[in-house]
């Protein structure tokens, strides 16, 4: 009876009452990130596509990650729910013979992890975040369930249960009892969002539905084919796409404000900023619209079912190449800032962003990849052979590589002793190449960079590469001869700013040398 009384109070007072909500201070506690499903963060540093670490579930997945307040990452796979520590090590895995491959979990205020399992006959489970033990389970039924649970402002869990015999929106109390269920249509595979007044907005086979907190219809907007993915809300506008190939904006009374037609069905949800909405369609495009319906730009990148995410700097992250590549797009024009392969395709892979800016993505084989932020710290120094002056006023070119691919390059001013400090480097393990003034590049392999663990390196560099092509050759010798006897700091090799015999000897002694 205690739960019934509290439930009644919650219905009376709307969102001001309830047992729990999304976990406070969690950077990405649900598929939609917040109650409005904006999938936008204001936390963390930008990323550059460097891999921080990989964790492999070794199991098929169409899930996406969520992130708890303590940094734990949760996602689903065929072999259960995985909990991964912020360093990429497994915390626990829950598996009771039920697949969670299509479910993205949600995290309650007390850290409880909610997920849909057994998608051919759905069950909602609640797991202890400490050790992954089962707290309770609730049979929902249904078939071909691809939606994910959402936690409302009243603390209840709202979840749809797929196709017939599903088609319901289920409202579940945090103790695992069913508060109410509402039949929507022959299919309900949408992740809801919530209005300030507690209204639930959720898709079904032929409608976008606005549901009152007591489980009755407020209004319905008809569509021709199913509304899937997460519904987005910003201010007085609700945004959603449907399999009929139309992307719509409706007001809070259910009146369509604008409609844009696509080249293919829309399977996924949206990401929202104060003035933009980002969406993809199966024709392969990611599109940016103003809230008023003006198309700002489009990017053709083989997108299908990914739902974009927006970083603190406005960069949009989405998985293209039919689920095999993460793209980071510039918000002003949709140009690709960087891209990185994730291996086996996950059509529905939707990035999540951690408190420090790390971008997490799950691929089709259940491999969770963490793309680290530009938040590392490097103390480094170099000695150039034959250099007798100090290095103050000079600079170092510093390059960061992973698997032979250049991930990041920057220029650092040198101290008098040839040392320098770099903040906001990539994190993760990198080969670092350094060039000082007219030296060849020198490499230090397998340097592990982290936010709170500064790395220290020192390199000895060969001299004489005046033209910067990473080899000492005829062109460098010609530069020295043409400037011989002159004051030419740009071509100087020994630190006295005069081109003389010392510089000539450096080129001759190192002739033919190639940098790393």
């Amino acid at each position: 009876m205690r739960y019934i009384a509290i439930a009644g109070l919650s219905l009376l007072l709307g969102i001001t009452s309830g047992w729990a909500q999304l976990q406070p201070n969690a950077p990405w506690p649900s598929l939609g990130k917040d109650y409005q499903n904006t999938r936008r963060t204001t936390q963390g540093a930008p990323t550059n596509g460097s891999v921080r670490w990989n964790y492999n579930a070794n199991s098929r997945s169409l899930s996406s990650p969520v992130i708890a307040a303590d940094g734990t990452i949760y996602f689903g796979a065929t072999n259960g729910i995985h909990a991964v520590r912020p360093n990429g090590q497994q915390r626990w895995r829950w598996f009771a013979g039920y697949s969670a491959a299509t479910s993205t979990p949600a995290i309650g205020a007390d850290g409880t992890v909610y997920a849909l399992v057994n998608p051919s006959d759905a069950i909602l489970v609640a797991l202890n975040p400490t050790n992954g033990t089962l707290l309770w389970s609730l049979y929902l039924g249904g078939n071909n369930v691809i939606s994910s649970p959402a936690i409302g402002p009243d603390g209840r869990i709202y979840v749809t249960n797929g196709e017939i015999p599903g088609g319901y929106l289920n409202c579940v109390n945090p103790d695992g009892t069913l508060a109410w269920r509402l039949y929507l249509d022959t299919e309900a595979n949408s992740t809801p969002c919530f209005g300030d007044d507690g209204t639930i907005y959720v898709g079904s086979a032929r409608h976008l539905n606005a549901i009152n907190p007591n489980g009755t219809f407020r209004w319905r907007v008809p569509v021709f084919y199913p509304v899937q993915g997460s519904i987005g809300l910003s201010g007085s506008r609700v945004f959603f796409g449907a399999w009929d190939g139309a992307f719509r904006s409706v007001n809070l009374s259910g009146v369509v404000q604008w409609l844009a037609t696509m080249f293919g069905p829309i399977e996924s949800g949206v990401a929202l900023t104060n003035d933009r909405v980002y969406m993809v369609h199966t024709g392969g495009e990611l599109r940016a619209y103003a809230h008023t319906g003006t198309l700002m730009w489009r990017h053709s990148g083989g997108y299908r079912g990914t739902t974009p995410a927006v970083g603190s700097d406005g960069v949009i992250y989405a998985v293209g190449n039919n689920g095999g590549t993460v793209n980071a797009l510039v918000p002003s024009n949709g140009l690709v800032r960087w891209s990185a392969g994730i291996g086996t395709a996950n059509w529905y892979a939707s990035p999540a962003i951690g408190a420090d800016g790390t971008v997490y993505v799950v691929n089709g084989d259940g491999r969770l990849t963490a793309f680290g932020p530009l938040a590392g710290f490097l103390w480094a120094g170099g000695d150039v052979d034959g250099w007798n002056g100090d290095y103050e006023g000079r600079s170092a070119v510093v390059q960061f590589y992973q698997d032979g691919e250049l991930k990041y390059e920057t220029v650092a001013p040198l101290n008098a002793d040839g040392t320098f400090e770099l903040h906001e480097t990539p994190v993760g393990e990198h080969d670092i190449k350094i060039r000082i003034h007219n030296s060849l590049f020198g490499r230090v392999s397998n340097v592990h960079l982290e936010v709170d663990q500064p790395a220290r390196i020192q390199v000895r560099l060969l001299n004489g590469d005046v033209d910067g092509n990473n080899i000492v050759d005829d062109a460098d010798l010609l530069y020295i001869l043409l400037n011989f006897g002159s004051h030419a700091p740009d071509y100087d090799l020994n630190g006295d700013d005069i081109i003389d015999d010392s510089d000539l000897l450096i080129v001759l002694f190192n002739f033919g040398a190639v940098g790393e």
Side-chain angles (χ1 to χ4, degrees):
M1 294 300 294
R2 174 176 178 269
Y3 291 112
I4 294 174
I6 293 175
L9 182 62
S10 178
L11 291 179
L12 179 63
L13 299 181
I15 66 171
T16 62
S17 179
W19 301 294
Q21 291 80 34
L22 287 168
Q23 186 183 37
N25 301 316
W28 208 277
S30 65
L31 175 64
K33 198 270 182 184
D34 49 36
Y35 302 121
Q36 294 78 35
N37 289 342
T38 67
R39 292 187 53 82
R40 179 195 180 192
T41 185
T42 57
Q43 294 180 292
T47 71
N48 71 308
S50 287
V51 174
R52 190 173 198 168
W53 48 257
N54 286 292
Y55 166 86
N56 205 332
N58 294 306
S59 182
R60 181 69 180 158
S61 180
L62 295 174
S63 179
S64 297
V66 294
I67 310 159
D70 65 357
T72 301
I73 306 103
Y74 301 100
F75 70 96
T78 302
N79 64 358
I81 304 295
H82 292 253
V84 183
R85 299 180 188 274
N87 62 0
Q89 301 300 307
Q90 185 181 91
R91 171 162 284 172
W92 51 256
R93 176 175 70 95
W94 178 83
F95 183 58
Y98 299 120
S99 170
T102 60
S103 176
T104 296
I107 307 169
D110 61 354
T112 299
V113 179
Y114 302 98
L116 271 176
V117 301
N118 204 36
S120 61
D121 198 16
I123 301 170
L124 179 67
V125 298
L127 304 177
N128 186 320
T130 302
N131 52 23
T133 54
L134 181 68
L135 298 175
W136 53 256
S137 64
L138 179 66
Y139 175 74
L140 299 178
N143 186 44
N144 192 27
V145 181
I146 59 173
S147 59
S148 297
I151 299 173
D154 59 0
R156 290 168 165 165
I157 304 99
Y158 294 83
V159 58
T160 54
N161 65 336
E163 300 172 4
I164 291 176
Y168 290 86
L169 173 65
N170 299 272
C171 174
V172 182
N173 295 318
D175 64 353
T177 58
L178 185 67
W180 52 259
R181 69 189 320 212
L182 178 66
Y183 183 71
L184 301 181
D185 216 325
T186 56
E187 178 184 354
N189 255 325
S190 171
T191 301
C193 70
F194 306 91
D196 290 340
D197 59 355
T199 302
I200 306 112
Y201 301 95
V202 64
S204 60
R206 291 180 178 85
H207 294 91
L208 173 73
N209 308 277
I211 313 297
N212 293 309
N214 64 359
T216 59
F217 286 110
R218 177 169 293 184
W219 49 255
R220 310 184 82 186
V221 174
V223 298
F224 296 104
Y225 292 102
V227 177
Q228 294 180 355
S230 57
I231 311 303
L233 172 65
S234 181
S236 61
R237 296 177 183 270
V238 181
F239 300 93
F240 67 99
W243 272 73
D244 60 10
F247 186 70
R248 297 169 172 88
S249 170
V250 303
N251 66 19
L252 299 187
S253 299
V255 178
V256 176
Q257 302 297 290
W258 56 267
L259 180 152
T261 56
M262 306 293 146
F263 302 125
I266 303 168
E267 298 183 64
S268 61
V270 301
L272 293 160
T273 66
N274 293 334
D275 58 358
R276 295 283 181 90
V277 54
Y278 300 102
M279 53 78 65
V280 306
H281 62 85
T282 58
E285 287 184 336
L286 187 156
R287 292 189 176 192
Y289 284 95
H291 284 195
T292 55
T294 302
L295 177 64
M296 308 304 292
W297 51 259
R298 64 179 103 183
H299 177 254
S300 183
Y303 302 101
R304 175 170 171 176
T306 183
T307 302
V310 182
S312 62
D313 57 350
V315 169
I316 304 100
Y317 302 96
V319 180
N321 190 26
N322 292 315
T325 301
V326 179
N327 292 322
L329 306 178
V330 178
S332 60
N333 52 25
L335 296 177
V336 176
R337 176 172 288 181
W338 58 262
S339 63
I342 60 173
T344 303
N346 175 358
W347 292 334
Y348 300 101
S350 300
I353 304 173
D356 63 355
T358 298
V359 175
Y360 299 95
V361 183
V362 177
N363 82 347
D365 287 331
R367 188 179 72 198
L368 172 67
T369 299
F371 294 95
L374 293 174
F377 183 34
L378 176 68
W379 282 326
D383 296 307
V384 180
D385 284 346
W387 188 270
N388 298 316
D390 66 41
Y391 295 94
E392 193 165 7
R394 314 288 175 173
S395 60
V397 178
V398 189
Q399 299 177 336
F400 299 81
Y401 288 81
Q402 284 186 334
D403 298 324
E405 181 181 352
L406 177 63
K407 292 291 185 179
Y408 187 67
E409 179 177 288
T410 189
V411 176
L414 293 173
N415 301 317
D417 60 355
T419 61
F420 60 91
E421 303 83 34
L422 276 180
H423 303 264
E424 300 181 351
T425 73
V427 300
E429 192 170 277
H430 293 76
D431 292 345
I432 299 178
K433 294 184 180 182
I434 297 175
R435 166 185 167 88
I436 292 178
H437 194 51
N438 291 323
S439 77
L440 298 170
F441 273 102
R443 181 177 63 182
V444 181
S445 300
N446 304 319
V447 180
H448 192 77
L449 295 155
E450 275 299 334
V451 177
D452 54 356
Q453 300 172 11
R456 295 172 174 84
I457 62 173
Q458 183 76 24
V459 291
R460 187 76 181 177
L461 301 170
L462 287 178
N463 204 348
D465 180 25
V466 180
D467 64 354
N469 66 351
N470 211 30
I471 181 172
V472 182
D473 55 12
D474 291 333
D476 304 299
L477 181 59
L478 184 60
Y479 275 111
I480 296 300
L481 293 174
L482 289 175
N483 291 278
F484 198 84
S486 64
H487 180 270
D490 290 343
Y491 305 122
D492 180 38
L493 301 178
N494 69 342
D496 63 2
D497 292 344
I498 303 297
I499 308 304
D500 54 19
D501 290 335
S502 298
D503 304 290
L504 181 59
L505 288 174
I506 288 171
V507 172
L508 294 175
F509 284 144
N510 292 323
F511 198 83
V514 179
E516 296 185 80

